[in-house]
């Protein structure tokens, strides 16, 4: 009879609001009533829970979506802490080509949208590995290993906290370079060592070839600064300062593909003796020539000598203004000292050698003499 009464009361709950009907049923049957708005859960009912306000999540619970995507009753929807999955093109293993130091190599590895992207291997024509490691959008980022054509290790790089660290070697296994490069930077910072072991270069480098690119400093064997300025493809290019190892001669000015060209200043033991235009270190164009620190000529230069129109000075005082041929006034001009018997000895210096009135150059080397690290461009 008791069970029949319980069944009748339970059925009546469909029409009774509030908690009175639940409590009456529980008192009669000694069993609690659970009203579920979703499939059964392994989470037990919360005991002595504090009242929950509308739209306030239940402590210790997570929301579940129904078939229509809405949160179930009693468990309001909350923002998910899991990031939305972004569809990315999937990588497939294919054969294609990649470029390193402007040389094209066969590539086998992961490819996305037709270019090397992911893990792969670039090969020399002889079948030896050129590089094995990570590629990004078809470019090597030196998170991996590079090799010489004979298979010897050339460099090894790794990523540490967003910074690529690369150690380079010569073919005999000796240290060539130490480079670091933040992943978002196009250039790296490196120290390059001569085969003798002394520091030869410190500055920016192209990351794939590890040769000077950007700003840097090259050193003489004796440790003194040889060149400070900008580099391109391992050569002096742009603006820089070159100093001989005995510090006698110094040039400050423009460089093009490893040679002095454009405008610059020439010094001997710190004293200025020429400033102006030149080609490969030979005075050409507009310039000023100094003797013992005082200006001697200001005007046109052709093939290393004063030719054209200019001003000639005697101990810093203007002596003549007009036409000049082979360092001498022609008289087709104005003399300010009552005489045109003037001649300038134009000196163009080589390191350790002084020549007068001759076509010469500063004996500028063809760019930085960085050790080859094998054949750098291959």
């Amino acid at each position: 009879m008791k069970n029949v009464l319980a069944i009748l009361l339970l059925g009546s709950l469909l029409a009774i609001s509030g908690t009175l009907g639940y409590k009456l049923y529980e008192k009669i049957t000694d069993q609690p009533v659970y009203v579920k708005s979703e499939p059964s859960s392994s989470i037990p009912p919360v005991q002595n829970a504090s009242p929950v306000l509308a739209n306030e999540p239940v402590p210790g619970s997570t929301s579940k979506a129904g078939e229509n995507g809405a949160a179930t009753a009693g468990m309001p929807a909350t923002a998910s802490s899991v990031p939305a999955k972004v569809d990315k093109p999937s990588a497939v293993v294919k054969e294609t080509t990649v470029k390193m130091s402007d040389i094209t190599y066969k590539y086998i590895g992961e490819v996305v949208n037709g270019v090397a992207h992911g893990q792969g291997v670039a090969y020399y024509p002889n079948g030896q590995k050129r590089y094995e490691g990570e590629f990004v959008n078809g470019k090597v980022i030196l998170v991996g290993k590079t090799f010489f054509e004979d298979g010897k290790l050339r460099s090894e790089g790794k990523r540490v906290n967003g910074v690529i660290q690369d150690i380079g070697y010569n073919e005999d296994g000796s240290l060539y370079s130490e480079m670091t490069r933040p992943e978002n930077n196009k250039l790296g910072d490196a120290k390059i060592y001569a085969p003798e072991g002394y520091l030869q270069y410190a500055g920016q480098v192209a990351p794939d070839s590890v040769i000077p690119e950007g700003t840097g400093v090259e050193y003489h064997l004796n440790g003194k600064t040889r060149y400070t300025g900008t580099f391109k493809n391992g050569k002096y290019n742009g603006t820089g300062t070159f100093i001989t190892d005995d510090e006698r001669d110094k040039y400050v000015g423009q460089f093009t593909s490893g040679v002095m060209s454009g405008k610059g200043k020439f010094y001997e033991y710190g004293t200025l003796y020429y400033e102006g235009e030149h080609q490969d270190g030979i005075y050409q164009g507009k310039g000023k020539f100094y003797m013992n620190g005082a200006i001697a000529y200001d005007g046109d230069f052709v093939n290393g000598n004063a030719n054209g129109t200019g001003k000639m000075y005697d101990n810093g005082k203007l002596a003549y203004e007009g036409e000049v041929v082979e360092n001498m006034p022609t008289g087709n001009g104005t003399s300010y000292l009552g005489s045109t018997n003037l001649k300038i000895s134009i000196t163009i210096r080589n390191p350790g050698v002084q020549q007068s009135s001759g076509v010469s150059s500063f004996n500028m080397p063809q760019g930085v003499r960085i050790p080859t690290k094998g054949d750098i461009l291959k």
Side-chain angles (χ1 to χ4, degrees):
M1 184 69 180
K2 186 176 181 180
N3 291 335
V4 173
L5 180 59
I7 293 171
L8 292 174
L9 286 172
L10 181 60
S12 68
L13 289 177
L14 297 173
I16 299 176
S17 62
T19 59
L20 180 60
Y22 295 130
K23 290 183 178 180
L24 181 60
Y25 175 82
E26 290 174 348
K27 186 174 182 180
I28 294 175
T29 63
D30 294 325
Q31 296 179 3
V33 176
Y34 303 111
V35 179
K36 302 177 182 179
S37 59
E38 59 178 278
S40 60
S41 171
S42 61
I43 301 176
V46 179
Q47 301 295 325
N48 300 323
S50 59
V52 179
L53 301 177
N55 297 326
E56 179 179 347
V58 177
S61 68
T62 58
S63 64
K64 290 186 178 181
E67 291 181 1
N68 61 353
T72 57
M75 295 184 181
T78 58
S80 173
S81 61
V82 179
K85 184 176 181 181
V86 179
D87 292 333
K88 296 182 179 179
S90 58
V92 295
V93 176
K94 288 185 176 181
E95 179 177 331
T96 182
T97 59
V98 293
K99 276 192 174 184
M100 296 177 63
S101 300
D102 294 326
I103 304 297
T104 300
Y105 297 92
K106 182 178 76 172
Y107 168 86
I108 298 178
E110 293 181 303
V111 173
V112 175
N113 294 329
V115 298
H117 190 87
Q119 296 295 318
V121 181
Y123 293 90
Y124 285 107
N126 65 3
Q128 290 281 2
K129 292 180 181 179
R130 171 64 175 88
Y131 171 76
E132 180 178 24
E134 189 173 339
F135 292 77
V136 174
N137 295 325
K139 296 182 179 180
V140 171
I141 60 171
L142 292 182
V143 178
K145 296 180 180 181
T146 66
F147 303 89
F148 292 105
E149 285 194 80
D150 60 3
K152 293 180 181 178
L153 181 65
R154 178 171 174 167
S155 70
E156 185 170 10
K158 59 183 179 180
R159 183 187 290 104
V160 179
N161 297 326
V163 177
I164 296 173
Q165 299 177 354
D166 179 81
I167 305 297
Y169 303 94
N170 293 305
E171 286 190 279
D172 62 1
S174 61
L175 179 65
Y176 169 78
S177 63
E178 300 170 310
M179 182 189 73
T180 60
R181 178 177 67 89
E183 286 194 79
N184 294 330
N185 288 12
K186 292 183 178 181
L187 299 177
D189 291 300
K191 293 181 179 179
I192 298 177
Y193 301 89
E196 296 82 1
Y198 71 89
L199 178 64
Q200 189 168 11
Y201 174 82
Q204 294 178 310
V205 295
D208 57 345
S209 59
V210 195
I211 60 174
E213 184 81 15
T215 59
V217 180
E218 185 198 5
Y219 299 93
H220 287 289
L221 176 62
N222 60 12
K224 294 181 179 180
T225 299
R226 185 171 190 261
Y227 173 83
T228 303
T230 56
F231 292 77
K232 185 176 182 180
N233 294 326
K235 294 183 177 182
Y236 311 151
N237 198 84
T239 302
T241 299
F242 175 85
I243 306 174
T244 55
D245 58 356
D246 60 1
E247 298 184 331
R248 169 184 171 171
D249 293 289
K250 181 173 74 172
Y251 169 77
V252 181
Q254 297 173 325
F255 292 81
T256 302
S257 297
V259 297
M260 299 180 298
S261 185
K263 294 182 178 180
K265 296 181 179 180
F266 296 78
Y267 299 83
E268 183 183 33
Y269 294 122
T271 301
L272 178 66
Y273 64 86
Y274 178 81
E275 64 175 325
E277 298 174 324
H278 63 94
Q279 292 181 357
D280 299 339
I282 299 174
Y283 316 147
Q284 184 77 21
K286 298 290 184 181
K288 297 179 181 179
F289 185 81
Y290 299 82
M291 297 180 68
N292 300 319
I295 188 167
Y297 176 76
D298 179 2
D300 298 326
F301 285 84
V302 176
N303 203 26
N305 291 296
N307 281 283
T309 302
K311 298 177 181 179
M312 304 184 76
Y313 297 82
D314 185 10
N315 294 321
K317 295 181 180 180
L318 181 61
Y320 173 81
E321 182 175 6
E323 186 180 40
V324 178
V325 175
E326 295 299 318
N327 308 321
M328 295 182 62
T330 63
N332 187 15
T334 302
S335 176
Y336 295 94
L337 298 180
S339 173
T340 58
N341 189 22
L342 295 173
K343 183 178 180 179
I344 297 176
S345 177
I346 301 295
T347 302
I348 304 175
R349 294 175 174 80
N350 285 327
V353 178
Q354 180 171 317
Q355 296 181 350
S356 298
S357 299
V359 177
S360 183
S361 71
F362 198 72
N363 197 26
M364 194 64 210
Q366 295 293 315
V368 64
R369 293 182 295 182
I370 293 299
T372 62
K373 190 184 177 184
D375 188 347
I376 287 180
L377 296 179
K378 294 183 178 180

